[in-house]
C-alpha cells in the first residue's frame, strides 16, 4: 500500500473524498471550535428559512497599480468579484460592493473579464454588454490608499444596523492573503519610501464586527482557512485555502489559493477554482426550489410544500455538497486546496441560507444569461485536473518545476519587433533561471501574475517597460529569498535537505526520498518548526515591487531544521540565532538593475529612442552564461 508521500494529487483527492462522512463536518474541512461537539453527527436537512433581509458587503483588494487588474496579472480576483456581484444583484436588504477601479475604465483597457476553466464553457462576468445593459450594482469606488479604512467602517456600520434589525451579514473578501496574520491585502498605500499593501487583519475585522450579529465570511484569499480555525473569530466562514503551509502533505498543500490556468492565447486567468465550486454549489442548490416553483400555483404554496417535505439542506450539508462538487465536478486535484469551513456558534444544523445569509435566488437562471465563451479545442493544459474529462497524463515534474504549468510553447519569437529587445532578453534569461528552480504551479495565487508575465515574455509578445521591471524585481527577490535560505542553513552548519541548495530543491522529490522517510519514521513533527518560522519574520513579506508570498524558501529551511533534529526545546534559540544572521545579511545588487534604470531614463528623455535601445543591446553587463543547463526543454530554441 502506498504511503501518503507517494500519492499524486489525484490519488490524494480520491482518498480525501472517500473519508467524507455525512453529518461530520471535520471530514470535509469543518473547523469545530467547541470540543464537546467534535464527535457529534449533525442533521443534514431542516425546515427552510428564507432570508430576504441579508446585508451584503463585498470588497476586492486588487487595484490597477502596476497594471495588476490585467487578467494576465491579478485580474482573476476581479473576475470572482464581478461574478458574485452579478449572481447576488437585487438580493437582500442592502448591498455594498467596494473596489478602487472604475469598471468602465477596466473594460476600455482590458476588454473583458471571464470566469471558469478554459477547458469548459466560461462566462463573461464583465464586458461592454454588461456595462451597457446591466451594469454592476451597488458599486462604491474608493481611493486605493483608503479602501481598508472605508471597508472596516462599512463592516461596523452594517453590523450595527444588522444587530438592531436582527439581520444576517454576508461578507465577501477577494484579494491576496498574508501568510503570517492570515489577513487580506486591500488596496495600495503609496506613502512612504515604497508603496505597500494595507492589510486587513482578523482582529480589526472582529472588532468592527462586534458581537450579537450573524456574520458569514466568504474568502478566496491565500491562507483564508485561518479565519475558520481562529477561536477568537466567531463567524461562519467558507475559506478557499488552508491556514498555511502544511507538512501533512507538503508536496501540495501550501495554504495558497489557485486561479484557473491562464488561456493559451492571451495568458489570461479567469477567476479562482474555489469560486467556481461555490457558484456550482449555489446553482445546484436552488434547482429543487425552482422546479417546485414552476409547478406550484404560487410561491407560498411552493415554500409550504418544501417545508412539509423537510427538504432544505442544513449548513453542514451545504458545506459537504460544496466539498463534493469541488472534488467531482470542478478539480480532480481538489485535495490541494484544503478548503475550510466554520459555523458561527458551531450551528452546523441550521438551515444553510439562514446560516450563510445567502438569499434564496434563481442563481442557475441568472448564470445562464451571461455570455458564453466556448472552450478552446486545442487546449490540453491541466486536462488531468478536469473531473469531467478523460484523464490526460501530465508530466508532474514540469508542473512542480514551474515550467509554465506543462503548457506547450512554440520557440521563442523574435524580440526585434517589440520594445526593449535586449532588455527583454536579459530579463528572460533571469526568469528562466527562476523557472528552473521548482517555484511551484503557475496557478498558485502568488505565482499567477509573475508566471503569466514570463509566459508573455517567453512568447515574444509586447510588454511595457514597467512590467518588465516588475518581473525582474519579483524574480530577483525570490532568487534572493532562496539564497537567504541557503545562507541560514550554511551559517547554522546543518545538512542541506537532499544535499541540494534551495534553488535546486524539489519539495515533492524530497518528500518521497528515503532520507525524508527515515525522518518520518523517527516520529518527530516538523509542523512546530514551520509555524515558528512563519512567525519569525526571517523572510521579508510581500510588497508592491516584490510580489506576493513565496513559501518555498521557508519550507526548505524548515525541512533542514527537521533534518538536523531541532526539537521544541531548542527551536526558540535557533530562531533567535537566525534572526541575528538575517540582520547581518547583505543583499546582492545585480547589474541588470542599472540597465533597467538607465533604460527608463533614456525612454523618458531621449528624442531618438533607437539610441536607447541600441545602448541596451550593446550592454554586456549581464552574464547570460549563468543560465543553468536544463532550463530549456528539448526542442526549444535558446535566445
Amino acid at each position: 500500500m502506498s504511503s501518503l508521500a507517494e500519492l499524486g494529487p489525484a490519488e490524494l483527492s480520491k482518498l480525501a473524498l472517500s473519508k467524507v462522512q455525512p453529518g461530520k463536518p471535520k471530514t470535509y474541512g469543518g473547523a469545530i471550535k467547541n470540543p464537546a461537539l467534535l464527535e457529534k453527527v449533525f442533521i443534514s436537512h431542516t425546515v427552510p428559512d428564507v432570508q430576504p433581509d441579508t446585508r451584503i458587503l463585498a470588497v476586492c483588494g486588487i487595484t490597477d497599480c502596476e497594471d495588476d487588474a490585467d487578467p494576465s496579472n491579478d485580474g482573476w480576483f476581479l473576475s470572482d468579484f464581478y461574478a458574485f456581484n452579478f449572481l447576488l444583484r437585487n438580493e437582500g436588504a442592502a448591498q455594498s460592493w467596494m473596489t478602487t477601479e472604475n469598471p468602465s475604465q477596466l473594460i476600455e483597457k482590458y476588454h473583458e473579464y471571464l470566469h471558469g476553466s478554459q477547458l469548459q464553457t466560461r462566462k463573461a462576468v464583465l464586458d461592454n454588454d454588461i456595462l451597457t445593459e446591466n451594469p454592476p450594482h451597488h458599486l462604491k469606488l474608493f481611493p486605493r490608499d483608503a479602501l481598508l479604512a472605508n471597508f472596516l467602517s462599512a463592516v461596523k456600520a452594517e453590523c450595527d444596523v444588522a444587530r438592531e434589525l436582527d439581520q444576517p451579514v454576508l461578507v465577501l473578501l477577494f484579494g491576496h492573503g498574508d501568510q503570517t496574520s492570515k489577513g487580506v491585502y486591500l488596496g495600495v498605500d503609496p506613502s512612504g519610501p515604497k508603496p505597500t499593501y494595507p492589510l486587513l487583519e482578523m482582529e480589526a475585522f472582529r472588532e468592527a464586527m462586534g458581537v450579537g450579529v450573524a456574520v458569514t465570511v466568504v474568502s478566496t484569499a491565500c491562507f483564508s482557512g485561518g479565519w475558520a480555525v481562529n477561536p477568537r473569530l466567531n463567524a461562519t466562514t467558507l475559506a478557499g485555502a488552508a491556514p498555511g503551509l502544511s507538512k501533512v502533505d507538503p508536496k501540495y498543500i501550501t495554504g495558497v489559493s489557485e486561479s484557473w490556468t491562464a488561456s493559451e492565447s492571451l495568458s489570461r486567468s479567469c477567476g479562482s477554482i474555489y469560486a467556481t465550486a461555490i457558484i456550482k454549489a449555489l446553482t445546484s442548490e436552488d434547482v429543487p426550489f425552482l422546479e417546485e416553483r414552476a409547478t406550484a400555483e404560487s410561491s407560498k404554496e411552493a415554500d409550504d410544500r418544501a417545508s412539509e417535505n423537510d427538504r432544505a439542506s442544513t449548513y453542514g450539508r451545504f458545506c459537504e455538497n460544496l466539498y463534493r462538487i469541488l472534488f467531482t465536478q470542478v478539480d480532480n486535484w481538489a485535495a490541494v486546496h484544503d478548503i475550510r469551513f466554520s459555523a458561527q456558534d458551531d450551528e452546523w444544523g441550521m438551515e444553510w441560507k439562514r446560516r450563510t445569509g445567502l438569499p434564496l435566488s434563481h442563481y442557475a437562471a441568472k448564470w445562464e444569461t451571461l455570455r458564453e465563451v466556448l472552450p478552446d479545442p486545442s487546449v490540453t493544459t491541466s486536462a488531468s485536473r478536469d473531473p469531467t474529462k478523460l484523464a490526460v497524463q501530465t508530466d508532474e515534474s514540469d508542473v512542480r518545476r514551474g515550467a509554465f504549468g506543462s503548457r506547450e510553447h512554440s520557440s521563442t519569437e523574435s524580440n526585434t519587433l517589440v520594445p526593449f529587445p535586449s532588455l527583454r532578453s536579459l530579463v528572460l534569461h533571469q526568469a528562466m533561471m527562476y523557472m528552473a528552480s521548482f517555484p511551484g504551479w503557475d496557478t498558485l495565487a502568488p505565482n499567477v501574475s509573475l508566471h503569466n508575465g514570463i509566459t508573455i515574455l517567453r512568447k515574444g509578445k509586447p510588454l511595457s517597460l514597467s512590467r518588465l521591471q516588475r518581473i525582474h524585481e519579483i524574480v530577483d527577490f525570490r532568487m534572493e529569498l532562496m539564497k537567504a535560505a541557503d545562507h541560514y542553513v550554511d551559517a547554522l552548519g546543518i545538512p542541506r535537505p537532499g544535499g541540494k541548495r534551495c534553488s535546486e530543491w524539489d519539495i515533492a522529490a524530497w518528500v518521497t526520498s528515503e532520507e525524508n522517510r527515515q525522518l518520518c519514521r523517527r516520529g518527530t513533527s516538523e509542523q512546530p518548526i514551520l509555524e515558528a518560522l512563519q512567525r519569525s519574520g526571517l523572510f521579508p513579506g510581500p510588497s508592491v515591487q516584490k510580489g506576493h508570498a513565496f513559501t518555498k524558501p521557508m519550507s526548505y529551511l524548515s525541512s533542514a531544521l527537521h533534518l538536523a533534529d531541532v526539537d521544541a526545546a531548542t527551536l526558540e534559540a535557533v530562531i533567535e540565532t537566525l534572526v541575528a544572521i538575517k540582520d547581518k545579511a547583505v543583499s546582492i545588487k545585480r547589474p541588470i538593475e542599472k540597465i533597467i534604470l538607465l533604460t527608463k531614463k533614456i525612454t523618458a528623455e531621449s528624442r531618438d529612442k533607437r539610441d536607447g535601445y541600441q545602448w541596451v543591446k550593446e550592454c554586456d553587463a549581464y552574464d547570460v552564461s549563468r543560465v543553468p543547463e536544463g532550463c530549456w526543454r528539448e526542442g526549444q530554441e535558446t535566445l
Side-chain angles (χ1 to χ4, degrees):
M1 182 177 179
S2 299
S3 68
L4 282 177
E6 296 173 308
L7 296 179
E11 290 76 16
L12 284 167
S13 298
K14 290 179 182 177
L15 178 62
L17 190 59
S18 71
K19 293 181 178 180
V20 172
Q21 299 180 44
K24 291 191 174 183
K26 280 200 310 178
T27 65
Y28 45 85
I32 298 177
K33 299 177 183 179
N34 184 349
L37 301 177
L38 287 176
E39 301 304 322
K40 179 178 177 179
V41 178
F42 294 88
I43 60 174
S44 61
H45 290 82
T46 188
V47 176
D49 184 6
V50 178
Q51 294 289 307
D53 56 350
T54 300
R55 309 188 73 82
I56 300 172
L57 178 61
V59 64
C60 183
I62 303 303
T63 75
D64 202 31
C65 176
E66 302 287 349
D67 295 334
D68 277 350
D70 189 327
S72 70
N73 279 347
D74 288 331
W76 57 282
F77 285 102
L78 286 159
S79 291
D80 284 349
F81 180 80
Y82 284 108
F84 281 96
N85 178 274
F86 186 86
L87 281 177
L88 294 172
R89 62 184 53 183
N90 300 323
E91 305 295 345
Q95 292 196 25
S96 181
W97 295 75
M98 306 175 69
T99 182
T100 63
E101 308 306 317
N102 187 311
S104 298
Q105 294 175 354
L106 292 178
I107 292 306
E108 182 179 356
K109 189 173 181 180
Y110 302 120
H111 309 302
E112 65 180 3
Y113 288 82
L114 307 180
H115 203 285
S117 168
Q118 60 173 328
L119 296 169
Q120 300 179 7
T121 300
R122 290 165 288 168
K123 295 289 188 175
V125 294
L126 187 66
D127 59 11
N128 267 321
D129 290 341
I130 290 176
L131 288 177
T132 302
E133 300 169 8
N134 196 7
H137 291 198
H138 308 290
L139 209 63
K140 295 184 178 180
L141 302 181
F142 296 92
R144 294 169 181 173
D145 60 349
L147 182 62
L148 174 59
N150 280 280
F151 175 70
L152 285 172
S153 297
V155 170
K156 185 179 187 309
E158 291 297 332
C159 288
D160 286 346
V161 173
R163 188 181 299 107
E164 181 179 347
L165 301 179
D166 192 23
Q167 296 174 330
V169 178
L170 173 62
V171 179
L172 300 104
L173 302 176
F174 304 100
H176 283 286
D178 178 64
Q179 182 178 1
T180 303
S181 70
K182 320 305 177 189
V184 180
Y185 293 105
L186 300 181
V188 171
D189 183 359
S191 63
K194 295 182 179 179
T196 57
Y197 295 115
L199 180 64
L200 168 67
E201 299 196 54
M202 277 188 285
E203 188 62 22
F205 180 88
R206 189 184 70 82
E207 291 178 1
M209 165 184 152
V211 297
V213 60
V215 174
T216 293
V217 177
V218 178
S219 178
T220 61
C222 298
F223 317 112
S224 52
W227 292 63
V229 301
N230 188 318
R232 289 175 55 81
L233 183 65
N234 185 22
T236 298
T237 57
L238 295 92
L245 287 171
S246 171
K247 287 299 178 177
V248 174
D249 177 35
K251 286 186 295 182
Y252 307 111
I253 298 175
T254 63
V256 175
S257 56
E258 279 196 84
S259 75
W260 284 111
T261 305
S263 62
E264 296 287 339
S265 56
L266 299 175
S267 298
R268 289 177 160 222
S269 299
C270 304
S272 69
I273 295 174
Y274 182 59
T276 295
I278 294 177
I279 291 169
K280 282 184 176 288
L282 291 175
T283 54
S284 65
E285 194 70 39
D286 69 359
V287 168
F289 171 80
L290 295 177
E291 291 175 346
E292 193 164 31
R293 197 181 192 97
T295 58
E297 295 179 3
S298 68
S299 60
K300 183 178 185 303
E301 181 182 345
D303 293 341
D304 290 342
R305 188 178 304 166
S307 299
E308 293 169 3
N309 293 336
D310 196 36
R311 63 183 300 168
S313 297
T314 62
Y315 172 66
R317 179 60 181 272
F318 175 77
C319 292
E320 180 189 338
N321 289 343
L322 171 55
Y323 190 87
R324 291 184 183 276
I325 285 171
L326 176 64
F327 277 73
T328 61
Q329 299 181 34
V330 178
D331 189 4
N332 202 37
W333 294 6
V336 306
H337 305 286
D338 197 17
I339 61 175
R340 302 297 179 95
F341 308 103
S342 69
Q344 193 166 14
D345 299 320
D346 279 326
E347 290 181 323
W348 297 86
M350 186 181 289
E351 201 273 336
W352 74 272
K353 290 178 290 296
R354 181 182 173 198
R355 179 70 288 167
T356 63
L358 285 162
L360 184 62
S361 182
H362 299 200
Y363 295 117
K366 283 184 179 179
W367 195 243
E368 288 304 312
T369 64
L370 290 170
R371 176 172 64 88
E372 294 186 343
V373 178
L374 297 177
D376 184 345
S378 66
V379 172
T380 59
T381 304
S382 298
S384 61
R385 297 189 66 167
D386 187 347
T388 67
K389 307 288 184 183
L390 293 176
V392 175
Q393 188 64 37
T394 304
D395 184 350
E396 192 180 311
S397 64
D398 270 349
V399 178
R400 295 194 306 268
R401 195 176 185 85
F404 308 105
S406 290
R407 280 177 279 184
E408 293 300 326
H409 289 269
S410 60
S411 300
T412 306
E413 298 175 21
S414 171
N415 283 331
T416 57
L417 300 180
V418 295
F420 320 112
S422 197
L423 179 60
R424 290 172 62 96
S425 296
L426 304 184
V427 177
L428 179 58
H429 276 293
Q430 180 196 35
M432 294 307 290
M433 292 174 66
Y434 159 78
M435 293 300 282
S437 70
F438 305 96
W441 298 335
D442 299 346
T443 53
L444 296 178
N447 287 350
V448 172
S449 174
L450 174 62
H451 289 205
N452 284 351
I454 293 173
T455 298
I456 293 171
L457 183 63
R458 175 74 178 84
K459 289 182 174 181
K461 295 183 177 181
L463 279 174
S464 66
L465 180 61
S466 63
R467 190 160 186 191
L468 275 174
Q469 182 177 6
R470 198 173 187 203
I471 289 172
H472 154 66
E473 289 177 343
I474 296 174
V475 167
D476 186 71
F477 180 62
R478 292 186 172 196
M479 297 297 283
E480 289 297 322
L481 287 181
M482 288 189 279
K483 284 186 176 182
D486 290 333
H487 183 59
Y488 293 145
V489 169
D490 293 344
L492 290 174
I494 58 178
R496 298 172 183 166
K500 296 180 181 295
R501 291 192 173 276
C502 187
S503 60
E504 304 166 334
W505 186 65
D506 175 4
I507 187 170
W510 163 250
V511 169
T512 57
S513 68
E514 182 58 31
E515 189 175 14
N516 186 61
R517 288 176 184 173
Q518 290 178 5
L519 289 179
C520 295
R521 288 193 287 268
R522 192 171 68 192
T524 57
S525 172
E526 187 178 339
Q527 195 67 32
I529 299 174
L530 192 57
E531 292 172 357
L533 290 177
Q534 291 180 20
R535 297 189 299 266
S536 68
L538 282 169
F539 296 96
S543 67
V544 175
Q545 291 81 15
K546 307 301 183 183
H548 293 279
F550 184 49
T551 60
K552 181 189 175 182
M554 185 179 297
S555 188
Y556 174 81
L557 178 57
S558 174
S559 293
L561 293 172
H562 190 216
L563 180 63
D565 200 18
V566 173
D567 56 22
T570 59
L571 183 57
E572 183 177 348
V574 169
I575 295 292
E576 289 179 358
T577 301
L578 291 175
V579 170
I581 293 172
K582 173 195 171 185
D583 292 341
K584 296 179 180 179
V586 178
S587 178
I588 299 173
K589 299 296 181 183
R590 287 188 168 85
I592 194 171
E593 293 181 348
K594 181 178 178 181
I595 296 175
I596 287 177
L597 291 174
L598 289 175
T599 305
K600 218 173 182 182
K601 182 178 180 181
I602 291 169
T603 302
E605 298 178 359
S606 174
R607 293 185 178 182
D608 185 358
K609 293 183 180 180
R610 289 175 298 177
D611 291 343
Y613 298 155
Q614 185 65 27
W615 177 86
V616 176
K617 185 176 179 181
E618 294 173 356
C619 181
D620 60 355
Y622 189 79
D623 182 6
V624 297
S625 67
R626 289 184 291 171
V627 179
E629 294 183 6
C631 246
W632 305 96
R633 293 195 199 171
E634 185 177 351
Q636 290 182 334
E637 296 178 5
T638 59
L639 293 177

